[in-house]
Amino acid sequence: MQQTGWHDTIVALATPQGVGALAIIRLSGEQAIAIADKMFYGKNLTEQPSHTLHVGTIRDGETIIDEVVVGLFKAPRSFTKEDIVEITCHGSMYIVKQIVMLAVHHGARLAKPGEFTQRAFLNGKFDLAQAEAIADLIHADSEAARKTAMYQMRGGFSREIKALRDELVHFASLIELELDFSEEDVEFASRQQLRKLVDNINQKITGLIDSFELGNVIKNGLPTVIAGKPNAGKSTLLNALLREERAIVSEIAGTTRDVIEDEMTLGGITFRFIDTAGLRETSDTIEAIGVEKTKQKLAEAGLILFMFDLSTEPIEAIRSEIVRLERQPTPYLAIGNKADLCDKDHITAFEELPNSIAMSALDEKDLQQLEEAILQKVNIEAFNTGSTVVTNLRHEQALVHARQALNQVVAGIEQGISNDLLALDIRQALHHLGEITGEITTDDLLANIFSKFCIGK
Amino acid sequence: MQQTGWHDTIVALATPQGVGALAIIRLSGEQAIAIADKMFYGKNLTEQPSHTLHVGTIRDGETIIDEVVVGLFKAPRSFTKEDIVEITCHGSMYIVKQIVMLAVHHGARLAKPGEFTQRAFLNGKFDLAQAEAIADLIHADSEAARKTAMYQMRGGFSREIKALRDELVHFASLIELELDFSEEDVEFASRQQLRKLVDNINQKITGLIDSFELGNVIKNGLPTVIAGKPNAGKSTLLNALLREERAIVSEIAGTTRDVIEDEMTLGGITFRFIDTAGLRETSDTIEAIGVEKTKQKLAEAGLILFMFDLSTEPIEAIRSEIVRLERQPTPYLAIGNKADLCDKDHITAFEELPNSIAMSALDEKDLQQLEEAILQKVNIEAFNTGSTVVTNLRHEQALVHARQALNQVVAGIEQGISNDLLALDIRQALHHLGEITGEITTDDLLANIFSKFCIGK
């Protein structure tokens, strides 16, 4: 697992690109403090204790590049367990470039994406699942995503995987003990007991695999289709739903508007709205949707908000639409819009239909009621229980492979195959569980994982 | 100058918006450490010494928001001279929002743009010209711009203004001393001496005002027009010139590409290329340019790169074009492109013309020669002398007003007006110089200056 250039000192901008008040440039490695000392004027950093801050200037010969604050983290009390120097400079990309290049001039090397985290992992600061959780945490944009990533980063998920591994190791030890005494024909555990043990582990792994569907929603948002006839008020509703969220975000100024353009966080869950432009133009009813693309979008949906214009659509047409919605598997809400424009009987008739909510998309109180109804449709408990959720496709795949190996074990027990063959399959399952936390790893796997990180992390 | 909410503790994200490894949230004010203590678990920050770093978690009740590093700067040893807490968290905008909102919940207030710098100014950390230089430094995108801003931020410019004020105060004291003894008809300084003193100050102010033209180029780049017939190779040349600069920038990944799209830094000077699309389509020669817009662009130019296609344009046509270029005031280079495609005599004839350089835009060595020629055309010494350059329009305006007042003084001396009237004009000049460094200021002026800062600065 030793890397080439392992004794190199690496340098990178750690804060986002762009103009801001401050930027952090991070150096990590054996020479981090020595290199910083060649650039920093104010104090001799080598002589300073760990976890201290020092004001001074970064100089290139006679030229003062910037006035900075330098933070020292001495090995092993740092993120990478190596010496780390964090230079907080003015947030100009020009100055950042000058300082980074100066560090390179004095012997540092530009860090590869994720290289700080990779070093932390290789130095035993945390395991691989925890390292991956850091990237998830950085990209978290809802409470559920943050919470799940934080649980994983703090080692909760890893502990569960480790517990499963321990159980499997215990199981393997029973099998292998028998193997050692195989000539004496001793049976330390009944086949039935073994079978029960494997089933128990398998059940836990299956629970984790099943949680990935939820995990994917937590990480990427719940695909939500707003459907309905043209002019039912779909865009009005979407804008109304997004409005407040935008206002909150804009309080801390100019956050990536494009990202939230079609996303909304409600009750800590991200709802990702899916364009139904095709639906709007070509069809009146779900049945009539011939377009493959739209069918696909509805199939992807985790929630359908089907809008009706109560002021123009007759109740019979609405009823038959809702009957169709009832027959398909995705949770839905039937939203009767423009309720302010039609008579009470019509509304009452509509409200007798299942999953119906009559409203005006322009009314703030109605919107709040709709939001509550949406949250009730989503299995909110699943998001909020402390139970472990797999959010990473790589982990899910490893769990699937581990389960396949365990199924081989079960089949082997049933067929009464020899212990040494059983042991092989058990080791295979252990291998796959070990991949998750990084006990088992390859350079390719690591390169693949960390190359997806941003530079400076 | 006391602000409302002066005893407030303010909070803001100090690093750029967006996703990155790290982000800094800054708290400043009397309650900064107390508020941080309500959120931070790991150590009691109040008990920790200044300039130290502490690892722990930010919590909202039972919920762990993030694992963070907290830096402490205790008053007056901080940027604002108030207590400052810098929370370095994971660079997720969601987490940043949670922590900022939590700080607000515990009693902090969202900082207004530039409010940290404004507090530093009001607490006497630096003067107004230095505060403004910080904004310039953050936006610096060339060595000349960085250098000028750094000189101003470190107080070089302020010292010169202060020296001018001191001279004026000395002058005023002579006048006012005479005023005190006016009944005795004492003359402490001859009118001639006074006149000489004012002329001297006026000359220095004029020098500063004149430097603003250069200052503007340093700050905003030298407007450079690439002109010439269609297919002379203008785009090829521009791309060739920009290529290396882009490569350097891309080494530190994805820097604001749109900003450098048409800018190039050469010898520490930013060249801002001006679109001559109009020129390309409608005209063959400078004389023929009827389009007002193109005329205006040429008038704005600080440098003209006029390109000829040596492989097709006859030497006589080129010569008459260059004669026209010689007659207009803007520095220019006559670039004979595609020299690799034509015979030696033609090239020799071209190279006998003034300011000519024969080349192939595709040849790296030729490009380097062109870059050297460009730098020779620009008054590179002006950029590199340590002499003060005014880069701020507000400062230039204040200097112009100060000079107007001093011209009144000169006129007054010549007309032999009374000392008390002279003293009025001198005080007026002092007032305008004081505006630059902020000895004289108003809430409106400050609001206007700091509102242009980014939030978190």
Side-chain angles (χ1 to χ4, degrees):
Chain A
M1 290 206 308
Q2 204 75 345
Q3 298 293 294
T4 37
W6 186 238
H7 294 283
D8 284 9
T9 294
I10 52 176
V11 63
L13 173 67
T15 44
Q17 299 275 341
V19 170
L22 303 177
I24 301 176
I25 293 157
R26 185 147 64 164
L27 285 152
S28 179
E30 282 178 3
Q31 296 299 310
I33 298 174
I35 290 170
D37 257 333
K38 287 181 194 161
M39 306 156 62
F40 180 75
Y41 290 74
K43 269 178 197 166
N44 184 311
L45 296 172
T46 311
E47 293 165 2
Q48 306 303 322
S50 186
H51 289 61
T52 52
L53 292 160
H54 307 279
V55 178
T57 52
I58 295 290
R59 300 191 189 205
D60 180 7
E62 291 296 300
T63 308
I64 297 172
I65 306 282
D66 198 7
E67 296 184 351
V68 301
V69 175
V70 164
L72 281 185
F73 300 85
K74 292 199 174 178
R77 293 177 59 205
S78 80
F79 175 67
T80 55
K81 290 193 152 187
E82 301 175 334
D83 281 346
I84 282 189
V85 177
E86 286 184 357
I87 302 170
T88 303
C89 64
H90 287 96
S92 142
M93 287 314 294
Y94 180 79
I95 287 174
V96 165
K97 191 171 93 176
Q98 298 306 109
I99 296 177
V100 168
M101 290 307 167
L102 192 58
V104 169
H105 172 75
H106 287 309
R109 170 171 72 68
L110 292 178
K112 287 176 284 193
E115 199 170 3
F116 292 91
T117 311
Q118 186 168 4
R119 286 194 173 192
F121 163 66
L122 292 173
N123 287 329
K125 179 86 174 182
F126 37 64
D127 69 33
L128 200 53
Q130 288 175 289
E132 289 172 292
I134 294 176
D136 288 346
L137 191 65
I138 288 173
H139 291 96
D141 56 5
S142 73
E143 183 54 21
R146 188 203 61 74
K147 211 165 160 183
T148 314
M150 181 61 67
Y151 179 74
Q152 290 176 3
M153 192 183 83
R154 290 178 71 82
F157 176 56
S158 301
R159 276 191 296 276
E160 296 190 46
I161 296 296
K162 197 174 171 303
L164 284 175
R165 270 176 65 92
D166 287 349
E167 283 186 55
L168 260 181
V169 166
H170 170 65
F171 179 65
S173 68
L174 289 176
I175 296 283
E176 285 172 4
L177 203 57
E178 281 189 21
L179 211 57
D180 289 343
F181 294 85
S182 58
E183 288 171 17
E184 298 162 41
D185 200 23
V186 184
E187 197 178 85
F188 287 86
S190 73
R191 292 283 136 162
Q192 210 183 343
Q193 279 178 305
L194 286 181
R195 174 65 196 267
K196 211 172 153 187
L197 200 58
V198 174
D199 282 347
N200 182 36
I201 296 170
N202 230 343
Q203 197 185 332
K204 286 178 185 166
I205 289 179
T206 298
L208 289 173
I209 292 171
D210 290 348
S211 78
F212 181 64
E213 196 181 338
L214 175 63
N216 196 36
V217 166
I218 287 175
K219 201 163 165 179
N220 301 315
L222 185 74
T224 306
V225 167
I226 302 187
K229 284 189 185 180
N231 289 320
K234 299 187 291 294
S235 297
T236 309
L237 180 70
L238 182 56
N239 285 334
L241 286 170
L242 292 175
R243 187 188 50 212
E244 199 188 353
E245 172 66 14
R246 277 198 187 143
I248 289 171
V249 170
S250 70
E251 270 181 49
I252 60 163
T255 327
T256 45
R257 181 154 297 202
D258 51 330
V259 173
I260 62 149
E261 198 64 38
D262 294 307
E263 282 187 4
M264 170 185 71
T265 307
L266 208 61
I269 301 160
T270 301
F271 292 81
R272 183 164 46 83
F273 293 105
I274 293 178
D275 184 21
T276 59
L279 197 74
R280 272 176 221 153
E281 305 313 321
T282 61
S283 70
D284 286 357
T285 68
I286 291 187
E287 251 189 1
I289 303 162
V291 198
E292 193 53 38
K293 210 170 158 190
T294 311
K295 268 189 184 166
Q296 192 191 320
K297 277 173 185 169
L298 281 172
E300 281 171 13
L303 177 66
I304 298 171
L305 304 179
F306 206 102
M307 293 195 78
F308 300 97
D309 180 350
L310 284 191
S311 70
T312 60
E313 295 183 61
I315 195 73
E316 277 318 309
I318 294 175
R319 181 175 293 123
S320 62
E321 195 70 77
I322 290 183
V323 168
R324 289 186 194 100
L325 284 164
E326 280 286 317
R327 285 195 198 125
Q328 55 85 47
T330 309
Y332 74 94
L333 278 177
I335 300 170
N337 193 25
K338 308 188 192 175
D340 51 326
L341 301 179
C342 59
D343 63 55
K344 221 184 157 190
D345 288 351
H346 193 50
I347 295 174
T348 310
F350 175 74
E351 286 183 331
E352 280 165 3
L353 297 168
N355 291 306
S356 63
I357 178 165
M359 70 176 298
S360 161
L362 300 171
D363 184 288
E364 182 55 35
K365 223 172 114 191
D366 284 1
L367 267 178
Q368 282 174 16
Q369 276 180 357
L370 175 65
E371 288 177 355
E372 282 162 28
I374 288 174
L375 282 178
Q376 274 173 12
K377 276 287 143 193
V378 179
N379 185 359
I380 191 84
E381 281 73 28
F383 285 89
N384 285 330
T385 55
S387 67
T388 308
V389 174
V390 176
T391 54
N392 188 310
L393 182 62
R394 190 182 76 79
H395 301 170
E396 194 253 4
Q397 290 297 306
L399 288 166
V400 167
H401 291 142
R403 184 168 63 178
Q404 280 166 355
L406 286 180
N407 285 338
Q408 294 280 5
V409 173
V410 171
I413 292 174
E414 283 177 356
Q415 292 158 21
I417 65 164
S418 68
N419 281 1
D420 49 350
L421 288 176
L422 275 186
L424 266 181
D425 286 330
I426 294 168
R427 271 197 288 271
Q428 192 61 31
L430 279 170
H431 173 93
H432 290 302
L433 290 180
E435 280 180 333
I436 295 174
T437 47
E439 274 96 351
I440 311 295
T441 185
T442 64
D443 283 352
D444 280 354
L445 175 69
L446 291 185
N448 188 32
I449 290 173
F450 289 105
S451 66
K452 287 173 193 149
F453 277 59
C454 47
I455 288 176
K457 182 69 245 175
Chain B
M1 290 206 304
Q2 204 77 347
Q3 299 293 294
T4 37
W6 186 238
H7 293 284
D8 284 9
T9 293
I10 52 176
V11 63
L13 173 68
T15 44
Q17 300 273 342
V19 170
L22 303 177
I24 301 175
I25 293 156
R26 186 147 63 165
L27 285 152
S28 179
E30 283 177 2
Q31 295 300 310
I33 297 174
I35 290 170
D37 258 331
K38 287 181 193 161
M39 305 157 61
F40 180 76
Y41 289 74
K43 270 179 196 165
N44 184 311
L45 296 172
T46 311
E47 293 166 1
Q48 306 302 323
S50 186
H51 289 62
T52 52
L53 292 160
H54 307 280
V55 177
T57 52
I58 296 289
R59 299 191 189 206
D60 181 7
E62 292 297 299
T63 307
I64 297 173
I65 305 281
D66 198 7
E67 297 184 351
V68 302
V69 175
V70 164
L72 281 185
F73 300 86
K74 292 199 173 179
R77 292 178 61 206
S78 80
F79 177 67
T80 55
K81 288 191 155 189
E82 301 173 334
D83 281 345
I84 282 188
V85 177
E86 285 183 357
I87 301 170
T88 303
C89 64
H90 286 97
S92 141
M93 288 315 294
Y94 180 79
I95 288 174
V96 165
K97 192 170 93 177
Q98 298 307 109
I99 297 177
V100 168
M101 291 307 168
L102 191 59
V104 169
H105 172 75
H106 287 306
R109 170 170 71 66
L110 291 177
K112 288 177 283 194
E115 197 169 5
F116 292 91
T117 311
Q118 187 168 3
R119 287 194 173 190
F121 163 66
L122 292 172
N123 286 329
K125 179 86 174 183
F126 37 63
D127 69 34
L128 200 53
Q130 289 175 287
E132 289 171 292
I134 295 176
D136 289 346
L137 190 66
I138 288 174
H139 291 96
D141 56 4
S142 74
E143 183 55 22
R146 189 203 59 76
K147 210 165 161 182
T148 314
M150 180 62 66
Y151 179 75
Q152 289 176 4
M153 191 184 83
R154 291 179 68 84
F157 176 57
S158 299
R159 276 190 297 274
E160 295 189 47
I161 296 296
K162 194 173 175 305
L164 283 175
R165 269 177 66 92
D166 288 349
E167 283 185 56
L168 259 180
V169 166
H170 170 66
F171 180 65
S173 69
L174 289 175
I175 296 285
E176 284 172 5
L177 202 58
E178 281 189 22
L179 212 58
D180 289 344
F181 294 85
S182 60
E183 287 172 17
E184 297 163 41
D185 201 21
V186 184
E187 196 177 88
F188 286 87
S190 74
R191 294 282 135 163
Q192 208 182 345
Q193 279 178 305
L194 286 181
R195 174 66 196 265
K196 210 172 154 186
L197 201 56
V198 174
D199 281 347
N200 183 37
I201 296 171
N202 231 343
Q203 197 184 333
K204 286 177 185 167
I205 288 178
T206 298
L208 288 173
I209 292 170
D210 290 348
S211 78
F212 181 64
E213 194 179 340
L214 175 62
N216 196 34
V217 166
I218 287 176
K219 202 164 165 177
N220 301 315
L222 185 74
T224 305
V225 167
I226 302 187
K229 283 189 185 180
N231 289 320
K234 298 186 291 295
S235 297
T236 308
L237 180 69
L238 183 56
N239 285 334
L241 286 170
L242 292 175
R243 188 189 48 212
E244 199 187 353
E245 172 67 14
R246 276 196 189 147
I248 289 171
V249 171
S250 69
E251 271 182 50
I252 59 163
T255 326
T256 45
R257 180 156 297 201
D258 51 331
V259 172
I260 62 151
E261 198 64 37
D262 294 306
E263 282 188 4
M264 171 185 71
T265 307
L266 209 61
I269 301 160
T270 301
F271 292 80
R272 184 163 45 83
F273 293 104
I274 293 178
D275 184 22
T276 59
L279 197 73
R280 274 176 220 150
E281 304 315 320
T282 62
S283 70
D284 285 357
T285 68
I286 290 188
E287 251 191 1
I289 304 164
V291 198
E292 193 55 37
K293 209 169 158 191
T294 311
K295 269 190 183 164
Q296 191 189 322
K297 278 173 185 168
L298 281 171
E300 281 170 15
L303 177 65
I304 297 171
L305 303 180
F306 206 101
M307 293 194 78
F308 300 97
D309 179 351
L310 285 190
S311 70
T312 60
E313 295 184 61
I315 195 73
E316 278 319 310
I318 294 175
R319 181 176 290 122
S320 62
E321 195 69 75
I322 290 183
V323 168
R324 289 186 194 101
L325 284 165
E326 281 285 317
R327 285 196 198 123
Q328 55 83 48
T330 310
Y332 75 93
L333 277 177
I335 300 170
N337 194 24
K338 309 188 192 176
D340 50 327
L341 301 179
C342 61
D343 65 53
K344 220 182 156 192
D345 288 353
H346 193 50
I347 296 174
T348 309
F350 175 74
E351 287 184 330
E352 280 165 2
L353 297 169
N355 292 306
S356 64
I357 177 164
M359 70 177 296
S360 161
L362 300 172
D363 184 287
E364 182 55 35
K365 223 172 114 189
D366 284 2
L367 266 179
Q368 284 175 13
Q369 276 181 357
L370 175 64
E371 288 177 353
E372 281 162 28
I374 288 173
L375 281 177
Q376 274 174 14
K377 275 289 144 193
V378 179
N379 186 358
I380 192 82
E381 282 73 27
F383 285 88
N384 286 329
T385 55
S387 67
T388 307
V389 174
V390 176
T391 54
N392 187 310
L393 182 61
R394 189 183 75 80
H395 301 170
E396 193 253 6
Q397 289 297 306
L399 288 166
V400 167
H401 291 144
R403 183 168 63 180
Q404 280 166 355
L406 286 181
N407 285 339
Q408 294 280 6
V409 174
V410 171
I413 291 173
E414 282 177 356
Q415 291 157 22
I417 65 165
S418 66
N419 280 2
D420 47 354
L421 287 177
L422 273 188
L424 267 182
D425 286 330
I426 294 168
R427 271 197 289 271
Q428 192 61 31
L430 279 171
H431 173 92
H432 290 302
L433 290 181
E435 281 180 332
I436 294 174
T437 48
E439 275 96 351
I440 311 294
T441 185
T442 64
D443 284 351
D444 280 355
L445 176 67
L446 290 187
N448 187 33
I449 290 172
F450 289 105
S451 66
K452 287 172 194 150
F453 277 59
C454 46
I455 288 176
K457 183 67 246 178

